[in-house]
Each structure stands twice: as C-alpha cells, then as structure tokens.
Amino acid sequence: QVQLRQRGAGLLKPSETLSLTCGVSGGSFSGYYWNWIRQTPGKGLEWIGEIDHGGSAKYNPSLKSRVTMSVDTSKKQFSLSLSFVTAADTAVYYCARSVVGRMEYWGQGTLVTVSS
Amino acid sequence: DIQMTQSPSTLSASVGDRVTISCRASQSISNWLAWYQQKPGKAPRVLIYKASSLESGVPSRFSGSGSGTEFTLTISSLQPDDFATYYCQQYDSYSWTFGQGTKVEI
C-alpha cells in the first residue's frame, strides 16, 4: 500500500521560507509525478507544482517565482520550498502522487500558519 | 489558466436520492477530468478519472460522464457515507486546477 508521510514546520513568520518534505513508502518512486497542493477556505484547492523522479519540475505560474521543489530518490522523498511567505500562504499543504490525470495518493496534510 | 466552475455550491439531499453535480471548464479539456470526495480534516480521495473511469475500490454508485467542457458526477443512490464535499479537477499539459467544491448535506 502506497503511503505518503509529510513533515515540516507548521508555524512561520512573514518573509520566512516554508519547507516541507514528503516521504514515500510502499511503491515505486519512478514513473510518477510528485505534487504539492494547498487548501484554504477562501481559494479552495490550489496546485503548487509537480516533480518527477529525475528532478524535472513544473510550477503553478502564480507561485513560480517563490517555489522550488526537489527530489531525493535514494530516500524516496521530495520537498517543497516556498520563500517570502505571507499570511496569504496560510493553508493546509498536501503532497500527492499523480498519474493519468489524477492525484492517486495523498499525504496526511500539514497546516502551515504564517503569523507575526 | 483553465477555470473550473462547479454547480451547485451546496446540495441538500436524502439517503437514497440520485445526486448530480456539474462541472464546467473554461475551455476544452478533452476527458482530462477527475472527481474527488473530501471529508472534514481529511485529504481528498479520487473517485473518477479521465471523466468516466472509476478508481479502484470506489463503489459503483459513483459515475462520471462528459467531455470537452461539460462534465457530471452522479451518485445513483446516496448513502450516509457520501455526505461530503466533492471537487472536480482538470489536467492539461501546463497545470492542474480544481473546482470550488460542492457540499452534499442532509
């Protein structure tokens, strides 16, 4: 059974960098895309970006200037970095595996709060 | 960006009802449309992909239809476990976008 387990800081101050990591167990790391999605009451579900096992990444244009995703295939994990956070980045962040146009497996979610 | 618009935003229904949720894309997405169910405090769960393919393990009372810009999720006979929020999601070669959600309540 594929499982995605997220970890990372849940409380940040404005202008800090958000860092989250998602570990994958129970399945192959290659042949899929690995995604970050966030959810807020106001904007709903928002796709942040995706990365493949080779490190080729694609980002949401609205966040592209602040987002970096990376992958560590030896540890079967991938990471999200979002710089210069503001209160508008307060959200529940999810990692997910995608294939054939859908997010198959999701992490448990991490509430990230940005507050001074 | 391709925008996804769901209707209705909220739907009141009873156990045993046939329920239909609509999703419209701002431009043609062929059949690159998925449907998710989300319950409070949980991650979304995929129900349907490629507009009409049932995800493994999902009950057969869920079905999807449509292509191009108009799509529908149907629950043939609503069960107590189905009261949740449903989202559509499109995929194109550039990005993924989600609808705003439809809450199915009693």
Side-chain angles (χ1 to χ4, degrees):
Chain A
Q1 176 72 353
V2 176
Q3 291 190 328
L4 281 67
R5 178 64 61 180
Q6 302 173 216
R7 63 181 189 275
L11 181 61
L12 297 171
K13 290 181 167 50
S15 80
E16 291 184 335
T17 296
L18 178 158
S19 294
L20 296 173
T21 296
C22 185
V24 180
S25 61
S28 172
F29 200 67
S30 59
Y32 300 97
Y33 287 91
W34 303 97
N35 297 261
W36 290 98
I37 300 114
R38 67 183 184 181
Q39 186 171 30
T40 62
K43 293 188 70 176
L45 289 160
E46 180 180 31
W47 175 76
I48 300 170
E50 68 181 21
I51 192 166
D52 67 16
H53 70 281
S56 178
K58 189 183 299 182
Y59 304 132
N60 187 323
S62 69
L63 298 167
K64 187 175 183 177
S65 64
R66 298 193 291 129
V67 172
T68 302
M69 294 177 64
S70 61
V71 64
D72 186 336
T73 55
S74 66
K75 296 181 179 179
K76 292 181 70 175
Q77 64 185 31
F78 61 105
S79 299
L80 168 70
S81 177
L82 179 67
S83 61
F84 301 104
V85 297
T86 69
D89 296 310
T90 294
V92 176
Y93 287 75
Y94 292 101
C95 60
R97 186 180 93 170
S98 64
V99 68
V100 193
R102 84 274 201 191
M103 305 289 179
E104 271 187 306
Y105 295 99
W106 295 67
Q108 78 276 21
T110 301
L111 174 60
V112 175
T113 302
V114 180
S115 175
S116 55
Chain B
D1 282 5
I2 297 175
Q3 307 301 318
M4 307 301 292
T5 304
Q6 287 182 235
S7 61
S9 297
T10 306
L11 187 159
S12 296
S14 301
V15 172
D17 284 354
R18 181 181 180 87
V19 167
T20 299
I21 299 169
S22 297
C23 180
R24 175 177 293 177
S26 59
Q27 64 189 73
S28 178
I29 56 171
S30 184
N31 64 346
W32 290 107
L33 191 285
W35 289 98
Y36 298 82
Q37 176 193 70
Q38 187 178 32
K39 296 182 178 179
K42 300 292 188 182
R45 167 199 180 198
V46 64
L47 303 173
I48 302 288
Y49 66 99
K50 290 199 77 177
S52 60
S53 295
L54 190 68
E55 184 73 10
S56 176
V58 173
S60 59
R61 62 180 180 273
F62 292 94
S63 64
S65 63
S67 66
T69 61
E70 301 285 342
F71 301 88
T72 300
L73 173 69
T74 299
I75 309 172
S76 61
S77 177
L78 198 66
Q79 299 301 300
D81 190 49
D82 301 338
F83 290 95
T85 300
Y86 294 84
Y87 296 92
C88 62
Q89 164 252 300
Q90 71 82 25
Y91 168 74
D92 68 12
S93 56
Y94 301 99
S95 67
W96 305 64
T97 49
F98 294 83
Q100 81 279 14
T102 295
K103 185 176 183 180
V104 176
E105 58 184 24
I106 300 173

